[in-house]
Amino acid sequence: MTAIPMEHGLLLAAVLFMLGLIGLLVRRNIIFMLLSIEVMLNAAGLAFVVAGARWAQAEGQIMFMFILAMAAAEVAVGLALVLLMYRKFKTLDSDQVSRMRG
Amino acid sequence: MAIIFYISSAVAVLSTVMVITRMNAVHALLYLIVSLLSVAVIFFTLGAPFIGALEVIIYAGAIMVLFVFVMMMLNMGKKAAELESSWVNPRMYVGPAILAAILGIELVYMLASGSNRAAGFEMVGPKAVGIGLYSSYLVGLELAGMLLLAGLVGAFHLGRRDED
Amino acid sequence: MLSLLWLVPAIPYFSFAILAVFGKRMPKSVSGLLGVGSVGISAVISVLIGIQFISSPPEGDLFLQRLWTWIGVGNFQPEIAFHLDALSLLMMLVVTIVGFLIHLYSWEFMEDDEGFSRFFAYMNLFVGSMLTLVLANNLVLLYLGWEGVGLCSYLLIGFWYKDSYNGAAARKAFITTRVGDTAMAIGLFLLFWNLGSLDIQEVMSSASMQWGTGSGIALAVALLLLGGAVGKSAQLPLQVWLPDAMAGPSPVSALIHAATMVTAGVYLIARTHVIFDLAPIAQAAVAIVGAATLLIAGFSALKQHDIKRVLAYSTISQIGYMFLALGVGAYSAAMFHFMTHAFFKALLFLGAGALIMCLHHEHNMFKMGGMRKQLPLTFWTFLIGSGALAAVPLITAGFYSKDLILWRAWTSDSGSPILWLAGIVGAFITAVYTFRMVFVTFFGESKMQADRKPGVRISVPLVALAILALIGGFIEMPHTLGHFAPFSKFMHSVLPEVHAGQYSISAELLFQIIAVVITLSGILIAYIFYYRKPELSANVAKSGIGTVLGRFFYSGWGFDWLYYTFLVGPFVWIARVNKKDIIDFIYTIIAMICQIFNFIFRQTQTGRVRSYAAGIAFGAIVIIAIVMFT
């Protein structure tokens, strides 16, 4: 196996996370916001795996699996909410549903 | 192998940039799949083949398929892309970029202050992961299962059309 | 038998609870039976306990029943415990027996009232509280009873609450007695602070050990306790509430504002007599308060035309006698007068109540007249009560008790001729106003027609109390009449004997003859002025000085005016000036600061998911920065 400095892996995770954050903050379309969240979650998982590989422990991968499960659940509920929102407001603009009224 | 890591890293970063800049949701989704696949490759280079496989199957496969289905149901065409570009103004990137840059500087600063040691010199196979998952993290596993079940029920309930 | 002591207060409390909860749904016969019966059972138990206590006295002439620890905080451990000795036994017997008779009377008196069961609930609560007061073994429990009777007094004065005048009278009574209660509470704090206990026996023994005679702390405590007693017993300067308290139903006036509650002050001083013995100045103050009150109230009674107000002032005056006796150290004489007074004053109030009931709620006695023929039973019993109040010699109980007080006022070591003089003048006035009341009400031509006769439930208490008012005095005969004195002998197991020099029997006889002459001349004057020649009294009233004095006496020596001008008026003025509440402004500012922050933070609640996400990112940056640089 080729050794890769851990910092490089973590740096990649940080860059991906920041891109996800930028995407989340910039986009108004709720679908894009969800995609950005996926990017961020993936980056966090990457950081875990890199750290796990650095100490040659299985924990990093286990944490990634938990993140995976969480992401799956989140996406399922989130997309259901998106559908509901589109049905109700006929829009995907998150700013237009800022009022807490059903 | 190191070269593969760097190449896929570059692919991952580039495709992620594309994800957040596309106006068409389907295009963004395809770029995201590319990004996820390259991250999967990185997992292989880090000696975590099992997770790499999961990344391909669940992230790039299952979760993205969910997005595709939703987009089909929303039926967004050219108009949606036009609407999207009217929502996104290039100047809007400034604020979030600054915020993210500060965060990045902080993270890099912390990385730089740590010890420089290599990762991925040893393979951690599915067996080790399985043993860990079903011994030390059994409760966590059960909770994750319950979370998924709750997500399933919740999604079903929310997505159901009203009877009327 | 003694172990049943706890039942004596518990039964009225129990009955109160039932009446308070279910009273509205009960038929009147049931609530009447419950209200009267509970006090009746208490009275029976009290009598049985009394018989046993006297026939086979427990060790140390004292029976203590501890039920449970009420509050336990550090070394402050007041108990729910009852203390039975000669003094509390006497009080308990009077409260339950007179209380029972008055309850029986109320059964008929209140029959047509819509608040019938409410009335009995309050009355039972009162009896329970009063018994708690007299049986308490510590001052905290005593204070509980003290406040309980105050509450019942308030509730019952304002019983007919639909008339706002009654509510005002109730408030006046409550607030005025509160002044005294506050003084008493401070006194209790002082006692606990100095002696570390509020158990009556403990306090008394440690007070006499730790404090020297005339010490400042004993004086302070004694004066504060006197303040409480003065408030509750309607003595100078807090006597103003009692005449107004007559707004309540007549049985209430009889039970609470004549026989029992207002004598709680007398009981308190007798109970804590050790402290007063240690503070001669306070004791002198008690005597002076008593003497001044009996005169002022007596003169006020002379000019009243509401029959119940006459009785109210006479109650104040008679309690003044008790205070006078306490002040000269004649504790058993005070308790003796308390007992006889409870009999004859309850009788008079019940008689007055019967009159008022039969005469369409007419209170003005000048509109009555000639009731002797129409209501003979009421007349005879009322006459007996009046005789006892005026201390008609030999046959009435009031004679023996008042004579004993007058005798002690002079002969006791702490007595003085001035106190005796006040007492003897008071006795003269008492005879005058009492028989003025009798002649005006029962003699002469009748101006009203009684529309009903008192029934059996009213007659029985009247007759019973009349008998007690006659024979109640025979348990304490003066030296001139054989010195048969089981009462004071019994009392001396608790209360100290009076310190007095030796006087010959002939001196005592001389004093008695003076008192008798004074009383009879008072009755004679009343006879002349209000029966033989009413125009004489009218002439006196019309003359210049007569008008002024009459108005002065009628208003109770202007105390109400005084308090209104110097206390109530300024208070109302301050309240009006401070309508916007200056102190409250501080709290308004606090509220305003909250509102300002609310306004600021509300701006962050946009409902936009992206700004929230930006907030989270910003927070993460700050936290990481903190971790990095610290």
Side-chain angles (χ1 to χ4, degrees), chain A residues 1-2 4 6-8 12 16 18 26-27 29 38 42 46 59 61 64 68 84 87, chain B residues 1 6 16 20 22 36 42 55 59 84 100 104 115-117 119 129 137 158-159:
Chain A
M1 299 289 303
T2 320
I4 297 149
M6 179 185 73
E7 283 72 21
H8 294 184
L12 175 65
L16 289 179
M18 282 181 305
V26 170
R27 306 310 286 258
N29 190 322
E38 291 307 313
N42 192 41
L46 177 62
E59 268 78 1
Q61 302 188 27
F64 183 85
L68 200 63
L84 210 62
R87 240 183 258 156
Chain B
M1 289 288 272
Y6 293 113
T16 309
I20 62 172
R22 289 311 85 189
L36 292 174
I42 290 170
E55 175 93 357
Y59 246 127
E84 184 69 22
S115 67
N116 211 12
R117 234 190 114 176
V129 175
Y137 294 96
L158 290 171

mmCIF file of all heavy atoms in Angstrom, chain A residues 1-2 4 6-8 12 16 18 26-27 29 38 42 46 59 61 64 68 84 87, chain B residues 1 6 16 20 22 36 42 55 59 84 100 104 115-117 119 129 137 158-159:
data_model
loop_
_atom_site.group_PDB
_atom_site.id
_atom_site.type_symbol
_atom_site.label_atom_id
_atom_site.label_comp_id
_atom_site.label_asym_id
_atom_site.label_seq_id
_atom_site.Cartn_x
_atom_site.Cartn_y
_atom_site.Cartn_z
ATOM 1 N N MET A 1 0.839 -1.197 0.000
ATOM 2 C CA MET A 1 0.000 0.000 0.000
ATOM 3 C C MET A 1 0.876 1.249 0.000
ATOM 4 O O MET A 1 1.892 1.310 0.687
ATOM 5 C CB MET A 1 -0.884 0.043 1.260
ATOM 6 C CG MET A 1 -1.836 -1.125 1.386
ATOM 7 S SD MET A 1 -3.176 -1.099 0.216
ATOM 8 C CE MET A 1 -3.928 0.440 0.523
ATOM 9 N N THR A 2 0.447 2.209 -0.743
ATOM 10 C CA THR A 2 1.206 3.454 -0.778
ATOM 11 C C THR A 2 0.739 4.353 0.355
ATOM 12 O O THR A 2 -0.460 4.495 0.592
ATOM 13 C CB THR A 2 0.959 4.204 -2.096
ATOM 14 O OG1 THR A 2 0.924 3.239 -3.121
ATOM 15 C CG2 THR A 2 2.031 5.216 -2.332
ATOM 16 N N ILE A 4 -0.062 7.744 2.034
ATOM 17 C CA ILE A 4 -0.411 9.120 1.660
ATOM 18 C C ILE A 4 -0.454 9.912 2.950
ATOM 19 O O ILE A 4 -1.045 9.442 3.940
ATOM 20 C CB ILE A 4 -1.782 9.151 0.987
ATOM 21 C CG1 ILE A 4 -1.733 8.331 -0.306
ATOM 22 C CG2 ILE A 4 -2.216 10.577 0.688
ATOM 23 C CD1 ILE A 4 -3.016 7.692 -0.639
ATOM 24 N N MET A 6 -1.604 11.910 5.919
ATOM 25 C CA MET A 6 -2.974 12.068 6.412
ATOM 26 C C MET A 6 -3.491 13.485 6.147
ATOM 27 O O MET A 6 -4.656 13.691 5.844
ATOM 28 C CB MET A 6 -3.003 11.782 7.912
ATOM 29 C CG MET A 6 -4.363 11.929 8.532
ATOM 30 S SD MET A 6 -4.324 11.715 10.286
ATOM 31 C CE MET A 6 -3.544 13.212 10.812
ATOM 32 N N GLU A 7 -2.585 14.459 6.253
ATOM 33 C CA GLU A 7 -2.992 15.857 6.093
ATOM 34 C C GLU A 7 -3.614 16.087 4.727
ATOM 35 O O GLU A 7 -4.543 16.866 4.576
ATOM 36 C CB GLU A 7 -1.801 16.789 6.274
ATOM 37 C CG GLU A 7 -1.409 16.979 7.726
ATOM 38 C CD GLU A 7 -0.765 15.741 8.301
ATOM 39 O OE1 GLU A 7 -0.258 14.901 7.528
ATOM 40 O OE2 GLU A 7 -0.789 15.589 9.535
ATOM 41 N N HIS A 8 -3.087 15.391 3.733
ATOM 42 C CA HIS A 8 -3.640 15.596 2.396
ATOM 43 C C HIS A 8 -5.068 15.116 2.318
ATOM 44 O O HIS A 8 -5.944 15.781 1.745
ATOM 45 C CB HIS A 8 -2.757 14.881 1.359
ATOM 46 C CG HIS A 8 -1.392 15.498 1.262
ATOM 47 N ND1 HIS A 8 -0.430 15.099 0.351
ATOM 48 C CD2 HIS A 8 -0.807 16.495 1.965
ATOM 49 C CE1 HIS A 8 0.665 15.808 0.522
ATOM 50 N NE2 HIS A 8 0.460 16.667 1.495
ATOM 51 N N LEU A 12 -8.337 17.463 1.669
ATOM 52 C CA LEU A 12 -9.377 17.215 0.670
ATOM 53 C C LEU A 12 -10.756 17.273 1.306
ATOM 54 O O LEU A 12 -11.690 17.904 0.788
ATOM 55 C CB LEU A 12 -9.157 15.843 0.029
ATOM 56 C CG LEU A 12 -10.247 15.406 -0.954
ATOM 57 C CD1 LEU A 12 -10.268 16.337 -2.160
ATOM 58 C CD2 LEU A 12 -10.056 13.982 -1.388
ATOM 59 N N LEU A 16 -13.739 19.873 0.281
ATOM 60 C CA LEU A 16 -15.077 19.416 -0.121
ATOM 61 C C LEU A 16 -16.146 19.993 0.803
ATOM 62 O O LEU A 16 -17.206 20.441 0.372
ATOM 63 C CB LEU A 16 -15.137 17.887 -0.120
ATOM 64 C CG LEU A 16 -14.365 17.170 -1.215
ATOM 65 C CD1 LEU A 16 -14.505 15.669 -1.055
ATOM 66 C CD2 LEU A 16 -14.866 17.599 -2.593
ATOM 67 N N MET A 18 -16.064 22.743 2.496
ATOM 68 C CA MET A 18 -16.263 24.162 2.246
ATOM 69 C C MET A 18 -17.058 24.409 0.970
ATOM 70 O O MET A 18 -17.889 25.308 0.909
ATOM 71 C CB MET A 18 -14.931 24.882 2.195
ATOM 72 C CG MET A 18 -14.385 25.108 3.589
ATOM 73 S SD MET A 18 -12.851 25.971 3.595
ATOM 74 C CE MET A 18 -11.894 24.960 2.546
ATOM 75 N N VAL A 26 -25.350 29.624 -0.953
ATOM 76 C CA VAL A 26 -25.624 30.409 -2.156
ATOM 77 C C VAL A 26 -26.973 30.050 -2.762
ATOM 78 O O VAL A 26 -27.751 30.922 -3.151
ATOM 79 C CB VAL A 26 -24.500 30.202 -3.181
ATOM 80 C CG1 VAL A 26 -24.899 30.813 -4.516
ATOM 81 C CG2 VAL A 26 -23.229 30.848 -2.686
ATOM 82 N N ARG A 27 -27.284 28.773 -2.816
ATOM 83 C CA ARG A 27 -28.444 28.364 -3.589
ATOM 84 C C ARG A 27 -29.732 28.602 -2.825
ATOM 85 O O ARG A 27 -29.796 28.451 -1.609
ATOM 86 C CB ARG A 27 -28.347 26.871 -3.961
ATOM 87 C CG ARG A 27 -27.082 26.489 -4.652
ATOM 88 C CD ARG A 27 -26.742 27.397 -5.820
ATOM 89 N NE ARG A 27 -27.576 27.179 -6.983
ATOM 90 C CZ ARG A 27 -27.184 26.488 -8.066
ATOM 91 N NH1 ARG A 27 -25.968 25.948 -8.127
ATOM 92 N NH2 ARG A 27 -27.981 26.344 -9.072
ATOM 93 N N ASN A 29 -32.579 27.201 -4.301
ATOM 94 C CA ASN A 29 -33.354 26.014 -4.649
ATOM 95 C C ASN A 29 -33.108 24.928 -3.604
ATOM 96 O O ASN A 29 -31.971 24.570 -3.317
ATOM 97 C CB ASN A 29 -32.920 25.526 -6.023
ATOM 98 C CG ASN A 29 -33.852 24.448 -6.533
ATOM 99 O OD1 ASN A 29 -34.314 23.613 -5.768
ATOM 100 N ND2 ASN A 29 -34.128 24.469 -7.824
ATOM 101 N N GLU A 38 -25.439 16.862 1.145
ATOM 102 C CA GLU A 38 -24.834 15.540 0.880
ATOM 103 C C GLU A 38 -23.325 15.667 0.722
ATOM 104 O O GLU A 38 -22.556 14.860 1.248
ATOM 105 C CB GLU A 38 -25.425 14.933 -0.404
ATOM 106 C CG GLU A 38 -26.874 14.528 -0.288
ATOM 107 C CD GLU A 38 -27.115 13.625 0.899
ATOM 108 O OE1 GLU A 38 -26.348 12.661 1.082
ATOM 109 O OE2 GLU A 38 -28.058 13.906 1.668
ATOM 110 N N ASN A 42 -20.593 13.857 3.081
ATOM 111 C CA ASN A 42 -19.601 12.979 2.470
ATOM 112 C C ASN A 42 -18.199 13.407 2.885
ATOM 113 O O ASN A 42 -17.348 12.570 3.204
ATOM 114 C CB ASN A 42 -19.776 13.019 0.959
ATOM 115 C CG ASN A 42 -19.001 11.925 0.280
ATOM 116 O OD1 ASN A 42 -18.990 10.806 0.777
ATOM 117 N ND2 ASN A 42 -18.352 12.237 -0.827
ATOM 118 N N LEU A 46 -15.429 11.318 4.829
ATOM 119 C CA LEU A 46 -14.074 11.149 4.304
ATOM 120 C C LEU A 46 -13.044 11.413 5.397
ATOM 121 O O LEU A 46 -12.074 10.655 5.565
ATOM 122 C CB LEU A 46 -13.866 12.090 3.122
ATOM 123 C CG LEU A 46 -12.472 12.101 2.504
ATOM 124 C CD1 LEU A 46 -12.127 10.727 1.948
ATOM 125 C CD2 LEU A 46 -12.373 13.145 1.412
ATOM 126 N N GLU A 59 -12.630 1.878 13.422
ATOM 127 C CA GLU A 59 -13.619 2.852 13.923
ATOM 128 C C GLU A 59 -13.978 3.910 12.892
ATOM 129 O O GLU A 59 -15.128 4.318 12.777
ATOM 130 C CB GLU A 59 -13.095 3.531 15.188
ATOM 131 C CG GLU A 59 -13.509 2.844 16.478
ATOM 132 C CD GLU A 59 -12.671 1.618 16.759
ATOM 133 O OE1 GLU A 59 -11.768 1.326 15.952
ATOM 134 O OE2 GLU A 59 -12.926 0.950 17.768
ATOM 135 N N GLN A 61 -14.167 3.706 9.707
ATOM 136 C CA GLN A 61 -15.125 3.189 8.732
ATOM 137 C C GLN A 61 -16.495 2.981 9.370
ATOM 138 O O GLN A 61 -17.547 3.203 8.733
ATOM 139 C CB GLN A 61 -14.590 1.877 8.154
ATOM 140 C CG GLN A 61 -13.242 2.095 7.506
ATOM 141 C CD GLN A 61 -12.767 0.867 6.756
ATOM 142 O OE1 GLN A 61 -13.558 0.070 6.302
ATOM 143 N NE2 GLN A 61 -11.456 0.743 6.624
ATOM 144 N N PHE A 64 -18.192 6.142 9.436
ATOM 145 C CA PHE A 64 -18.680 6.474 8.102
ATOM 146 C C PHE A 64 -20.005 5.775 7.820
ATOM 147 O O PHE A 64 -20.923 6.361 7.237
ATOM 148 C CB PHE A 64 -17.645 6.076 7.040
ATOM 149 C CG PHE A 64 -18.073 6.455 5.670
ATOM 150 C CD1 PHE A 64 -17.820 7.735 5.195
ATOM 151 C CD2 PHE A 64 -18.743 5.561 4.830
ATOM 152 C CE1 PHE A 64 -18.230 8.105 3.928
ATOM 153 C CE2 PHE A 64 -19.151 5.929 3.571
ATOM 154 C CZ PHE A 64 -18.893 7.213 3.119
ATOM 155 N N LEU A 68 -23.486 7.390 6.884
ATOM 156 C CA LEU A 68 -24.215 6.931 5.704
ATOM 157 C C LEU A 68 -25.691 6.682 6.036
ATOM 158 O O LEU A 68 -26.607 7.138 5.333
ATOM 159 C CB LEU A 68 -23.562 5.643 5.208
ATOM 160 C CG LEU A 68 -23.814 5.234 3.772
ATOM 161 C CD1 LEU A 68 -23.239 6.292 2.841
ATOM 162 C CD2 LEU A 68 -23.160 3.894 3.500
ATOM 163 N N LEU A 84 -43.650 17.689 -0.565
ATOM 164 C CA LEU A 84 -44.779 18.306 0.122
ATOM 165 C C LEU A 84 -44.798 19.813 -0.101
ATOM 166 O O LEU A 84 -45.833 20.421 -0.400
ATOM 167 C CB LEU A 84 -44.637 18.011 1.626
ATOM 168 C CG LEU A 84 -45.906 17.905 2.430
ATOM 169 C CD1 LEU A 84 -46.728 16.748 1.911
ATOM 170 C CD2 LEU A 84 -45.559 17.692 3.895
ATOM 171 N N ARG A 87 -45.820 20.671 -3.551
ATOM 172 C CA ARG A 87 -47.247 20.475 -3.731
ATOM 173 C C ARG A 87 -48.027 21.649 -3.144
ATOM 174 O O ARG A 87 -49.009 22.109 -3.686
ATOM 175 C CB ARG A 87 -47.676 19.190 -3.026
ATOM 176 C CG ARG A 87 -48.279 18.160 -3.946
ATOM 177 C CD ARG A 87 -48.729 16.970 -3.138
ATOM 178 N NE ARG A 87 -47.803 15.870 -3.230
ATOM 179 C CZ ARG A 87 -47.693 14.916 -2.306
ATOM 180 N NH1 ARG A 87 -48.420 14.990 -1.210
ATOM 181 N NH2 ARG A 87 -46.866 13.926 -2.453
ATOM 182 N N MET B 1 0.326 4.321 -6.261
ATOM 183 C CA MET B 1 -1.020 4.537 -5.753
ATOM 184 C C MET B 1 -1.245 5.984 -5.347
ATOM 185 O O MET B 1 -2.378 6.484 -5.399
ATOM 186 C CB MET B 1 -1.264 3.650 -4.520
ATOM 187 C CG MET B 1 -1.386 2.184 -4.869
ATOM 188 S SD MET B 1 -2.927 1.814 -5.715
ATOM 189 C CE MET B 1 -3.994 1.505 -4.351
ATOM 190 N N TYR B 6 -4.154 11.622 -5.712
ATOM 191 C CA TYR B 6 -4.145 13.046 -6.072
ATOM 192 C C TYR B 6 -5.031 13.317 -7.269
ATOM 193 O O TYR B 6 -5.756 14.322 -7.314
ATOM 194 C CB TYR B 6 -2.716 13.535 -6.304
ATOM 195 C CG TYR B 6 -1.928 13.522 -4.997
ATOM 196 C CD1 TYR B 6 -0.877 12.659 -4.799
ATOM 197 C CD2 TYR B 6 -2.322 14.375 -3.949
ATOM 198 C CE1 TYR B 6 -0.193 12.639 -3.600
ATOM 199 C CE2 TYR B 6 -1.635 14.349 -2.750
ATOM 200 C CZ TYR B 6 -0.578 13.486 -2.575
ATOM 201 O OH TYR B 6 0.064 13.459 -1.405
ATOM 202 N N THR B 16 -17.152 18.739 -7.635
ATOM 203 C CA THR B 16 -17.958 19.363 -6.588
ATOM 204 C C THR B 16 -18.197 20.840 -6.901
ATOM 205 O O THR B 16 -19.296 21.366 -6.680
ATOM 206 C CB THR B 16 -17.274 19.203 -5.218
ATOM 207 O OG1 THR B 16 -16.939 17.843 -5.030
ATOM 208 C CG2 THR B 16 -18.178 19.673 -4.107
ATOM 209 N N ILE B 20 -22.022 22.759 -7.419
ATOM 210 C CA ILE B 20 -22.642 23.930 -6.788
ATOM 211 C C ILE B 20 -22.804 25.097 -7.738
ATOM 212 O O ILE B 20 -23.377 26.114 -7.381
ATOM 213 C CB ILE B 20 -21.840 24.368 -5.546
ATOM 214 C CG1 ILE B 20 -20.429 24.775 -5.935
ATOM 215 C CG2 ILE B 20 -21.827 23.266 -4.510
ATOM 216 C CD1 ILE B 20 -19.681 25.395 -4.789
ATOM 217 N N ARG B 22 -23.918 24.535 -11.132
ATOM 218 C CA ARG B 22 -24.856 24.227 -12.233
ATOM 219 C C ARG B 22 -26.214 24.847 -11.987
ATOM 220 O O ARG B 22 -26.629 25.042 -10.840
ATOM 221 C CB ARG B 22 -25.041 22.711 -12.378
ATOM 222 C CG ARG B 22 -23.889 21.894 -12.929
ATOM 223 C CD ARG B 22 -23.291 22.453 -14.184
ATOM 224 N NE ARG B 22 -22.291 23.466 -13.860
ATOM 225 C CZ ARG B 22 -21.723 24.263 -14.773
ATOM 226 N NH1 ARG B 22 -22.076 24.204 -16.025
ATOM 227 N NH2 ARG B 22 -20.814 25.142 -14.427
ATOM 228 N N LEU B 36 -18.748 11.690 -5.947
ATOM 229 C CA LEU B 36 -18.850 10.581 -4.996
ATOM 230 C C LEU B 36 -18.004 9.399 -5.461
ATOM 231 O O LEU B 36 -17.347 8.747 -4.648
ATOM 232 C CB LEU B 36 -20.311 10.164 -4.830
ATOM 233 C CG LEU B 36 -21.208 11.195 -4.132
ATOM 234 C CD1 LEU B 36 -22.668 10.735 -4.169
ATOM 235 C CD2 LEU B 36 -20.767 11.433 -2.704
ATOM 236 N N ILE B 42 -10.774 7.242 -3.703
ATOM 237 C CA ILE B 42 -9.870 7.659 -2.623
ATOM 238 C C ILE B 42 -9.946 6.672 -1.468
ATOM 239 O O ILE B 42 -8.933 6.304 -0.868
ATOM 240 C CB ILE B 42 -10.231 9.084 -2.168
ATOM 241 C CG1 ILE B 42 -9.857 10.063 -3.268
ATOM 242 C CG2 ILE B 42 -9.495 9.446 -0.885
ATOM 243 C CD1 ILE B 42 -10.383 11.445 -3.043
ATOM 244 N N GLU B 55 -19.778 3.366 -0.621
ATOM 245 C CA GLU B 55 -19.933 4.706 -1.183
ATOM 246 C C GLU B 55 -20.570 4.612 -2.574
ATOM 247 O O GLU B 55 -21.498 5.359 -2.891
ATOM 248 C CB GLU B 55 -18.544 5.356 -1.270
ATOM 249 C CG GLU B 55 -18.528 6.713 -1.947
ATOM 250 C CD GLU B 55 -18.650 7.862 -0.956
ATOM 251 O OE1 GLU B 55 -18.804 7.590 0.250
ATOM 252 O OE2 GLU B 55 -18.622 9.023 -1.394
ATOM 253 N N TYR B 59 -24.300 5.630 -1.606
ATOM 254 C CA TYR B 59 -24.317 7.062 -1.905
ATOM 255 C C TYR B 59 -24.607 7.296 -3.382
ATOM 256 O O TYR B 59 -25.638 7.874 -3.747
ATOM 257 C CB TYR B 59 -22.964 7.698 -1.536
ATOM 258 C CG TYR B 59 -23.076 8.676 -0.395
ATOM 259 C CD1 TYR B 59 -22.278 8.588 0.730
ATOM 260 C CD2 TYR B 59 -24.002 9.724 -0.463
ATOM 261 C CE1 TYR B 59 -22.378 9.473 1.759
ATOM 262 C CE2 TYR B 59 -24.108 10.610 0.572
ATOM 263 C CZ TYR B 59 -23.301 10.496 1.677
ATOM 264 O OH TYR B 59 -23.412 11.366 2.684
ATOM 265 N N GLU B 84 -33.770 29.180 -12.077
ATOM 266 C CA GLU B 84 -32.652 28.998 -11.170
ATOM 267 C C GLU B 84 -31.582 30.059 -11.409
ATOM 268 O O GLU B 84 -31.058 30.656 -10.469
ATOM 269 C CB GLU B 84 -32.077 27.581 -11.379
ATOM 270 C CG GLU B 84 -30.965 27.191 -10.434
ATOM 271 C CD GLU B 84 -31.454 27.019 -9.018
ATOM 272 O OE1 GLU B 84 -32.664 26.783 -8.822
ATOM 273 O OE2 GLU B 84 -30.629 27.129 -8.091
ATOM 274 N N ALA B 100 -16.460 30.603 4.080
ATOM 275 C CA ALA B 100 -15.842 29.294 3.910
ATOM 276 C C ALA B 100 -14.324 29.407 3.917
ATOM 277 O O ALA B 100 -13.639 28.529 4.452
ATOM 278 C CB ALA B 100 -16.319 28.671 2.603
ATOM 279 N N GLY B 104 -11.802 27.443 6.180
ATOM 280 C CA GLY B 104 -10.742 26.643 5.575
ATOM 281 C C GLY B 104 -9.383 26.997 6.148
ATOM 282 O O GLY B 104 -8.584 26.112 6.467
ATOM 283 N N SER B 115 1.163 16.475 13.652
ATOM 284 C CA SER B 115 2.331 15.713 13.216
ATOM 285 C C SER B 115 2.073 15.147 11.811
ATOM 286 O O SER B 115 0.937 14.803 11.482
ATOM 287 C CB SER B 115 2.599 14.575 14.187
ATOM 288 O OG SER B 115 1.552 13.652 14.116
ATOM 289 N N ASN B 116 3.082 15.060 11.043
ATOM 290 C CA ASN B 116 2.928 14.625 9.663
ATOM 291 C C ASN B 116 3.173 13.126 9.563
ATOM 292 O O ASN B 116 4.302 12.662 9.521
ATOM 293 C CB ASN B 116 3.937 15.381 8.798
ATOM 294 C CG ASN B 116 3.392 15.595 7.411
ATOM 295 O OD1 ASN B 116 2.205 15.371 7.184
ATOM 296 N ND2 ASN B 116 4.243 16.012 6.514
ATOM 297 N N ARG B 117 2.092 12.382 9.532
ATOM 298 C CA ARG B 117 2.277 10.938 9.440
ATOM 299 C C ARG B 117 1.409 10.362 8.360
ATOM 300 O O ARG B 117 0.324 10.885 8.086
ATOM 301 C CB ARG B 117 1.942 10.277 10.781
ATOM 302 C CG ARG B 117 3.102 9.396 11.279
ATOM 303 C CD ARG B 117 2.677 8.568 12.441
ATOM 304 N NE ARG B 117 2.683 7.160 12.078
ATOM 305 C CZ ARG B 117 2.424 6.191 12.940
ATOM 306 N NH1 ARG B 117 2.110 6.487 14.177
ATOM 307 N NH2 ARG B 117 2.467 4.954 12.560
ATOM 308 N N ALA B 119 -0.984 7.962 6.081
ATOM 309 C CA ALA B 119 -2.180 7.165 6.292
ATOM 310 C C ALA B 119 -2.287 6.167 5.143
ATOM 311 O O ALA B 119 -1.718 6.369 4.078
ATOM 312 C CB ALA B 119 -3.415 8.075 6.312
ATOM 313 N N VAL B 129 -14.067 -4.296 10.083
ATOM 314 C CA VAL B 129 -15.186 -3.360 10.245
ATOM 315 C C VAL B 129 -16.399 -4.086 10.805
ATOM 316 O O VAL B 129 -17.060 -3.626 11.746
ATOM 317 C CB VAL B 129 -15.523 -2.717 8.880
ATOM 318 C CG1 VAL B 129 -16.760 -1.837 9.005
ATOM 319 C CG2 VAL B 129 -14.348 -1.907 8.379
ATOM 320 N N TYR B 137 -19.881 -1.432 18.749
ATOM 321 C CA TYR B 137 -20.843 -0.410 18.324
ATOM 322 C C TYR B 137 -22.212 -0.997 18.050
ATOM 323 O O TYR B 137 -22.972 -0.480 17.239
ATOM 324 C CB TYR B 137 -20.305 0.308 17.080
ATOM 325 C CG TYR B 137 -19.067 1.089 17.402
ATOM 326 C CD1 TYR B 137 -17.806 0.560 17.177
ATOM 327 C CD2 TYR B 137 -19.171 2.343 18.007
ATOM 328 C CE1 TYR B 137 -16.670 1.274 17.513
ATOM 329 C CE2 TYR B 137 -18.038 3.060 18.337
ATOM 330 C CZ TYR B 137 -16.782 2.519 18.087
ATOM 331 O OH TYR B 137 -15.676 3.219 18.431
ATOM 332 N N LEU B 158 -44.991 11.617 4.984
ATOM 333 C CA LEU B 158 -44.965 12.948 4.387
ATOM 334 C C LEU B 158 -45.290 12.890 2.902
ATOM 335 O O LEU B 158 -45.957 13.779 2.363
ATOM 336 C CB LEU B 158 -43.586 13.567 4.581
ATOM 337 C CG LEU B 158 -43.240 13.953 6.021
ATOM 338 C CD1 LEU B 158 -41.785 14.354 6.115
ATOM 339 C CD2 LEU B 158 -44.127 15.100 6.480
ATOM 340 N N GLY B 159 -44.801 11.824 2.238
ATOM 341 C CA GLY B 159 -44.964 11.781 0.798
ATOM 342 C C GLY B 159 -46.345 11.350 0.353
ATOM 343 O O GLY B 159 -46.705 11.508 -0.807
#
